[in-house]
Amino acid sequence: MATGLAGLGSSLALGLGARRASGAPPSGRAKHCIVLYMHGGASHIDTFDPKPGTPSGGSFAAIGTKVPGIQICEHLPKIAARMDRLALIRSLTAKEGNHARARYLMHTGFVRQGGVEHPGLGAWTGRALGAGPLPRQVAVAGPGQGGGFLGPAFDPFTVPRPTQPVRNLGREDALPARESRREAMLAALEGDFAARHAGVQVDGSRAVTEAAIALSHAREVEAFDLSKESAKTRKRYGEQDFGAGCLMARRLIERGVPFVEVSLRNWDTHEDNFARVERLCGELDQAWSALIDDLQANGKWKETLVVWMGDFGRTPKINARGGRDHWPHASSVVLGGGVVRGGQVWGATDAQGARVADAPVQVADLYATLAAGLGLVAGEMHMTPRGRPVTTVDEKGRVLDGLLRG
Amino acid sequence: MARMAERRTRFALFALLLACRRGEDAEGSSAPEANAPEAPSVESAPDLDARFEAAWAKAGVEVGPPVDDATFLRRASLDLWGRIPRPEEVQRFVEDPDPEKRERWVERMVADEAFAAYWAELYAGALVGADRLPPATVDAFETWLESGISDGRGWDELAVAMVAAEGALLERPEGVYIASHLRQSGPELLTGAVSRTFLGVQIECAQCHDHPYNRLTQEDFREMAAYFARAKVRRGKLDPDVMSDAMTDAMSDAMSDDKAKKKRRKGDFELHERPRGEFRVPRDPEAPEGKMRSVAPRLFGAAPNLQSEEGSRRRAFATQMVEHELFARAAVGFVWTQLFGRAPVEPWDELGDTVFAREPRPTPELLDYLSEEFIAHDYDLRWLVGSLVRSTAYRRGAGGSADPQIREAAEAAFARAAVRPLRAEQIFRNLMIATVLEEVRGRDFKRRVRANQRAAQKEFEFVFSDDEGRRQDSFSGNVPQALLLWNGALTREGVQRRPGSLVDQVLEAPDFEGRLDALYLRVYGRWPSAAERSRSAAWFEGAIGQTEVEAWEDLAFAMLNSTEFTTNH
């Protein structure tokens, strides 16, 4: 049953990009995207693809979920109870086993190559859905991915430590008359400089300063202020960076930010995998489940696409230090939100969790699917500064049909 | 000892900048003329300019016009000393009648202590890995690099010392490089770092599978990792009585006495080479739980000469590494990227395809040529940086066609200057210079700045740096950085008039023209254009007394937030 949709997936050979390239984004798509990024690469076997009782299974047990037939790691009980709202992909496969290159791939949908810097999903989402004074994309507790050839204006606003107040968002002592004179003077200086040094870097730098100034004036910056939430709520999410980041993501989405990425770090468990993964799962389970509940309560769930992913999976083999090493050949991704048909599993790995055994998903396919869910035009053609044509999503990507609601 | 004290860079640098001691310039003499040591013989690579010109002609790119003196000095000062020039330096440079003054000034600036300090800071940032080590230890590493650069030790010698290091880190700080990649992460990550940093090959792609784009295999990765299988970091047990001067010095420099004592009890980290230990992998890749085998060390297939070396595999690796053809090219590519925002092979640390691709890409001739010259000049970093900074390419301006593709093609061929972001430390230092906070004399303010210095410095490094070490060319400022400049205390308070402050000094000039000159010279390192003069005059029309003071504060503030101030161009 778990792989029942695989046949559907592989039979879909139509190029989505080509079909949607000319059309307007379809209605009924998500207006926001939250990526929960597992920095360092989460062990798929110890999270969403358990292999209990096999040599690669490790010490964790698997537990049943809200959906009969789907089992996940025992340390994600709250997510298990909400499995009906999530779609689980167990057959993502890639070739990048180096953190930097894998992050580039997972954030942009493209393999890193010379000559072109691809924009991240957040840049595309922000570009298509951004409006209002708040940043178009926010990266919390991690670096996120830049705007690539779209320029620095599409870079994420980064909040490295959400547990600490975000500084310099405004100045209470600023005098309006002098602020506007400073802004006018700056605009003149920037205009001169851009005339002498035209280029995407300079335009980007100007846009960034303008965004900062607009933000300084905006009432919506209170989205960053978690002290506005009750102690009870903060506790419900968990009081470390990831929990605080998920809470901030909810506040940002509520105020119109299209894209938020929240990173959970330290998944690079080359040693002491099990104790560390148990701890990380605890943080993840608490924050993610609170986020799901709140997005449902405030009505944002139906217009938000939530993605759980990371650098890569980890080796079925447990090394001499009780760790697992990098393993891009097979990993898991979880999708949620109103546009996702929850309660299903896509694809499967073999008995060891080593190789994809059914319905393989390339990162480009994942990106075609995310683009479809967000109403991005996957096949839209862009010209890089070096004059190279690049599509929003790799043309090889095929939408995983049936993962999204029709 | 006195020399040692001079060299406590990172901490001392900001401390001195903020301690506001006029004339006691932590980052070197305030002008190249003053006390510059005898310049080393740094004649340029003879054919470099001709080769640039040939490459431009071949690529058919538009060549940017040469820059004027003030622009050149600001650019070179940021790249050689990590800071903008002070007004008196700009003045002296522009007025220097010597037609060869650019060559001469660059030679002297490269020979200055400030060059070694800045490039040590730059290299330390690129070399130190993610595994945490005590700040005093990392600081000692930067100091070690600084001495190495200023003593003219070659990059090959420094690289061998770093890769082969053994011993307590505070005594042998060159070991910080290995230790900071090895401590928690094991030999795999270290292997990837060494290969990338010193050879420009991202072999870690081959860690889990044969390299997707070239003929490096998983076995190549394992064979390289085998050189690092015996390296170990441990906490040494220190007897305070036998601590070397260097250690005491470095420790007490970075922390209060109480803390230093505590640290002494805990002991320093030690990098150590075990007598045995192998890199082991499953004999049968299909049966990862089965029997294991040891991998013999090889560098891209070449066996080390272990008999002639005293045991250490890392020393054997270091010897092979510096003899590899990619070693010099990676070093040149790194330096090139720092000076131009990109390298002839992009990025500089992905040279693998030039040698190991199934169909090798030839190395661009310029890179090849400069790498050979770099070797011929004993891998002297001062020579390398000096040669590029004196080259015709480095003097190109940003003017020319407005067509983005023409501009991009010219930038890619180094025929036109790119606008480059500055590093956190550079922006911080520039703010201190531009606002004259390094000289300001108000005692209360000085005390307050000093009390906040670490916090202020930290905030800049935090907001401006990326813990993933993102490449410089993909970075160009972001909203938190802009917010820090727009709303942060340093700029807000830095422009306020108080005795000796920027605006106070500007107001010392007798008339509007003189005041505008003073402001532009200090913040932008140049004089205002005619258009800027007339526009500024309009802003100041009718402004007298307090109104005029406020207008100067506002203009200074706008300039500190402008792209012209926050980039190198």
Side-chain angles (χ1 to χ4, degrees):
Chain A
M1 114 113 230
T3 57
L5 285 159
L8 248 175
S10 45
S11 72
L12 186 96
L14 298 169
L16 166 108
R19 280 193 295 141
R20 292 254 168 88
S22 53
S27 57
R29 302 289 80 176
K31 297 191 180 93
H32 311 275
C33 180
I34 299 175
V35 169
L36 307 178
Y37 196 82
M38 304 300 110
H39 204 88
S43 163
H44 55 299
I45 296 169
D46 304 315
T47 54
F48 287 100
D49 196 5
K51 304 288 178 186
T54 70
S56 55
S59 55
F60 295 167
I63 54 169
T65 66
K66 185 90 178 280
V67 183
I70 302 182
Q71 292 204 319
I72 63 172
C73 165
E74 60 175 322
H75 299 299
L76 295 167
K78 292 179 174 154
I79 290 304
R82 291 159 180 81
M83 202 67 223
D84 55 325
R85 284 159 254 180
L86 303 170
L88 172 49
I89 299 170
R90 280 181 173 155
S91 55
L92 189 78
T93 181
K95 287 182 175 173
E96 300 287 12
N98 157 287
H99 288 291
R101 294 187 62 95
R103 267 170 216 157
Y104 185 97
L105 173 66
M106 294 304 291
H107 278 94
T108 67
F110 285 89
V111 170
R112 191 167 90 193
Q113 50 200 261
V116 51
E117 189 92 13
H118 295 95
L121 179 65
W124 292 120
T125 308
R127 175 175 172 270
L129 303 171
L134 289 182
R136 285 182 273 212
Q137 66 156 325
V138 180
V140 186
Q145 183 75 27
F149 62 73
L150 294 176
F154 292 89
D155 283 350
F157 180 89
T158 51
V159 180
R161 298 295 308 274
T163 44
Q164 295 168 2
V166 181
R167 291 167 58 94
N168 302 315
L169 285 172
R171 286 209 54 112
E172 306 207 326
D173 58 353
L175 303 168
R178 296 192 65 186
E179 290 302 297
S180 36
R181 179 162 65 188
R182 289 173 173 198
E183 287 166 31
M185 286 170 160
L186 177 63
L189 296 172
E190 294 292 75
D192 285 355
F193 188 76
R196 283 179 279 136
H197 301 80
V200 68
Q201 293 287 308
V202 175
D203 296 344
S205 166
R206 269 176 92 176
V208 161
T209 305
E210 281 163 16
I213 293 169
L215 193 58
S216 301
H217 295 308
R219 209 172 45 82
E220 290 86 343
V221 293
E222 64 172 20
F224 294 103
D225 185 358
L226 299 186
S227 72
K228 296 264 197 302
E229 296 285 338
S230 70
K232 198 177 149 210
T233 302
R234 293 202 301 269
K235 206 160 177 183
R236 194 157 51 82
Y237 276 79
E239 294 182 281
Q240 287 162 292
D241 278 332
F242 185 70
C246 286
L247 178 55
M248 192 177 283
R250 194 208 79 204
R251 292 178 61 84
L252 290 162
I253 297 290
E254 284 168 348
R255 286 163 185 79
V257 173
F259 186 94
V260 184
E261 174 176 321
V262 187
S263 291
L264 179 54
R265 310 184 78 110
N266 297 318
W267 285 98
D268 198 18
T269 51
H270 288 284
E271 60 289 306
D272 198 16
N273 177 73
F274 296 96
R276 287 170 63 186
V277 170
E278 181 177 342
R279 212 161 47 233
L280 288 162
C281 279
E283 250 183 271
L284 175 67
D285 196 49
Q286 185 178 359
W288 189 3
S289 58
L291 180 64
I292 294 172
D293 292 351
D294 280 5
L295 289 176
Q296 291 206 297
N298 69 13
K300 289 287 174 187
W301 179 256
K302 58 178 181 294
E303 54 189 48
T304 303
L305 175 61
V306 181
V307 187
W308 179 91
M309 62 183 179
D311 297 357
F312 30 59
R314 303 199 77 86
T315 47
K317 183 179 159 51
I318 299 157
N319 68 26
R321 300 186 298 274
R324 295 189 193 265
D325 303 318
H326 304 175
W327 192 257
H329 310 295
S331 61
S332 300
V333 170
V334 182
L335 306 181
V339 296
V340 172
R341 205 173 272 169
Q344 62 168 312
V345 173
W346 181 287
T349 53
D350 61 19
Q352 301 290 313
R355 303 278 164 179
V356 172
D358 187 25
V361 173
Q362 306 293 331
V363 177
D365 303 329
L366 173 67
Y367 264 73
T369 309
L370 298 178
L374 290 162
L376 303 176
V377 185
E380 190 187 344
M381 198 66 86
H382 313 272
M383 204 58 87
T384 72
R386 297 189 193 184
R388 195 155 128 186
V390 178
T391 47
T392 305
V393 175
D394 192 328
E395 285 166 312
K396 293 194 289 292
R398 297 287 172 264
V399 176
L400 305 175
D401 199 44
L403 272 186
L404 303 178
R405 292 187 191 280
Chain B
M1 208 71 282
R3 190 171 167 77
M4 191 70 209
E6 271 171 29
R7 286 221 191 101
R8 289 172 203 147
T9 49
R10 191 167 262 169
F11 294 100
L13 179 64
F14 292 106
L16 285 179
L17 273 173
L18 285 149
C20 321
R21 280 181 281 179
R22 193 191 280 275
E24 288 181 27
D25 196 343
E27 345 134 52
S29 47
S30 59
E33 273 90 345
N35 310 322
E38 196 56 37
S41 109
V42 281
E43 89 272 12
S44 273
D47 302 333
L48 190 56
D49 284 357
R51 281 164 198 265
F52 269 119
E53 280 156 17
W56 296 340
K58 196 173 156 199
V61 293
E62 183 186 88
V63 179
V67 293
D68 64 24
D69 281 344
T71 307
F72 178 82
L73 185 66
R74 182 180 187 273
R75 190 185 284 178
S77 180
L78 282 165
D79 281 330
L80 299 175
W81 287 2
R83 64 164 178 84
I84 53 173
R86 302 197 173 91
E88 57 275 18
E89 292 164 347
V90 182
Q91 203 113 33
R92 205 175 310 131
F93 183 65
V94 170
E95 286 163 7
D96 187 340
D98 184 349
E100 304 270 285
K101 66 182 170 187
R102 291 190 186 185
E103 289 77 2
R104 218 160 34 76
W105 278 57
V106 169
E107 259 170 50
R108 288 188 179 150
M109 288 172 83
V110 166
D112 195 281
E113 282 289 312
F115 172 81
Y118 172 62
W119 279 77
E121 174 187 296
L122 217 162
Y123 268 107
L127 290 168
V128 176
D131 291 342
R132 288 224 182 98
L133 293 168
T137 308
V138 176
D139 196 41
F141 177 61
E142 192 174 312
T143 305
W144 176 83
L145 280 169
E146 187 186 340
S147 322
I149 294 169
S150 85
D151 296 346
R153 294 177 72 189
W155 176 244
D156 57 339
E157 199 186 326
L158 297 176
V160 169
M162 284 187 263
V163 170
E166 287 183 54
L169 294 184
L170 282 174
E171 280 181 283
R172 305 297 302 271
E174 59 269 37
V176 164
Y177 171 72
I178 295 286
S180 66
H181 289 281
L182 176 73
R183 202 186 136 208
Q184 284 162 10
S185 318
E188 291 89 352
L189 288 193
L190 172 62
T191 305
V194 170
S195 176
R196 190 183 78 87
T197 309
F198 293 110
L199 296 168
V201 176
Q202 305 211 355
I203 196 160
E204 65 270 38
C205 302
Q207 183 179 345
C208 333
H209 50 79
D210 293 352
H211 200 288
Y213 316 113
N214 60 45
R215 59 187 163 77
L216 290 177
T217 64
Q218 197 173 13
E219 198 62 12
D220 283 313
F221 175 83
R222 292 166 167 175
E223 289 172 351
M224 199 188 286
Y227 286 99
F228 301 102
R230 296 177 177 178
K232 186 90 188 155
V233 180
R234 62 185 182 199
R235 270 194 195 273
K237 288 195 175 55
L238 290 185
D239 178 350
D241 296 334
V242 299
M243 281 220 307
S244 72
D245 284 351
M247 287 157 68
T248 323
D249 214 45
M251 277 180 169
S252 55
D253 186 40
M255 57 191 91
S256 69
D257 283 349
D258 278 1
K259 272 194 184 161
K261 273 183 208 134
K262 214 183 274 171
K263 204 86 208 172
R264 259 171 237 170
R265 276 201 297 274
K266 269 209 214 148
D268 181 20
F269 286 99
E270 195 179 294
L271 177 59
H272 158 73
E273 189 78 354
R274 292 176 299 172
R276 54 183 69 86
E278 298 295 336
F279 191 75
R280 292 171 66 76
V281 298
R283 196 178 288 270
D284 175 3
E286 298 302 315
E289 302 301 319
K291 283 195 172 159
M292 305 288 278
R293 68 181 167 92
S294 300
V295 180
R298 296 277 183 283
L299 175 59
F300 304 132
N305 185 357
L306 281 169
Q307 283 74 25
S308 73
E309 300 294 339
E310 287 296 307
S312 160
R313 284 195 185 177
R314 279 190 287 126
R315 183 161 294 283
F317 179 85
T319 311
Q320 278 181 285
M321 173 182 90
V322 296
E323 281 164 8
H324 196 276
E325 59 180 319
L326 290 179
F327 176 73
R329 285 186 219 154
V332 172
F334 175 82
V335 167
W336 204 306
T337 304
Q338 307 313 310
L339 297 174
F340 290 90
R342 65 170 91 194
V345 174
E346 256 303 277
W348 68 269
D349 56 3
E350 281 195 42
L351 295 174
D353 285 357
T354 59
V355 178
F356 304 114
R358 295 189 182 95
E359 290 166 46
R361 270 194 287 156
T363 316
E365 206 208 327
L366 270 166
L367 180 59
D368 245 0
Y369 166 74
L370 204 59
S371 303
E372 280 161 28
E373 288 291 317
F374 181 47
I375 297 169
H377 286 82
D378 299 325
Y379 298 91
D380 186 344
L381 290 171
R382 296 171 304 177
W383 175 86
L384 177 59
V385 175
S387 293
L388 279 169
V389 170
R390 282 176 297 163
S391 73
T392 177
Y394 191 83
R395 297 174 186 201
R396 296 302 112 192
S401 168
D403 182 319
Q405 281 193 41
I406 294 177
R407 298 178 82 92
E408 167 59 27
E411 280 182 29
F414 312 103
R416 175 182 182 269
V419 174
R420 294 177 279 141
L422 297 175
R423 305 170 62 244
E425 293 94 337
Q426 286 174 309
I427 294 200
F428 190 79
R429 276 193 290 266
N430 294 348
L431 278 174
M432 301 310 293
I433 291 169
T435 57
V436 215
L437 283 176
E438 60 172 344
E439 292 177 23
V440 105
R441 269 173 279 180
R443 208 178 272 164
D444 285 348
F445 183 72
K446 204 197 295 188
R447 200 178 301 133
R448 211 149 52 81
V449 168
R450 203 180 298 168
N452 290 330
Q453 61 173 293
R454 286 306 292 268
Q457 177 200 332
K458 274 242 159 62
E459 187 175 10
F460 266 74
E461 288 177 4
F462 189 59
V463 173
F464 277 86
S465 66
D466 176 341
D467 61 347
E468 300 304 317
R470 210 153 24 136
R471 289 210 318 278
Q472 199 187 358
D473 59 353
S474 67
F475 167 98
S476 173
N478 60 37
V479 177
Q481 293 166 13
L483 282 171
L484 175 59
L485 291 174
W486 189 261
N487 291 322
L490 204 54
T491 39
R492 288 272 160 179
E493 293 172 21
V495 299
Q496 279 170 21
R497 185 188 189 184
R498 55 168 60 79
S501 79
L502 167 62
V503 167
D504 200 49
Q505 291 194 2
V506 164
L507 287 163
E508 277 170 22
D511 55 9
F512 170 77
E513 294 293 323
R515 290 172 183 181
L516 194 67
D517 282 349
L519 180 62
Y520 264 73
L521 205 52
R522 186 157 276 281
V523 180
Y524 284 165
R526 65 177 176 88
W527 285 267
S529 69
E532 284 166 328
R533 279 182 201 284
S534 60
R535 185 187 55 209
S536 306
W539 283 333
F540 283 83
E541 214 166 83
I544 46 162
Q546 184 56 25
T547 327
E548 192 197 347
V549 173
E550 287 177 5
W552 285 114
E553 289 176 352
D554 291 346
L555 180 55
F557 184 80
M559 289 170 77
L560 293 177
N561 278 275
S562 66
T563 306
E564 177 161 357
F565 183 73
T566 56
T567 57
N568 196 356
H569 39 75

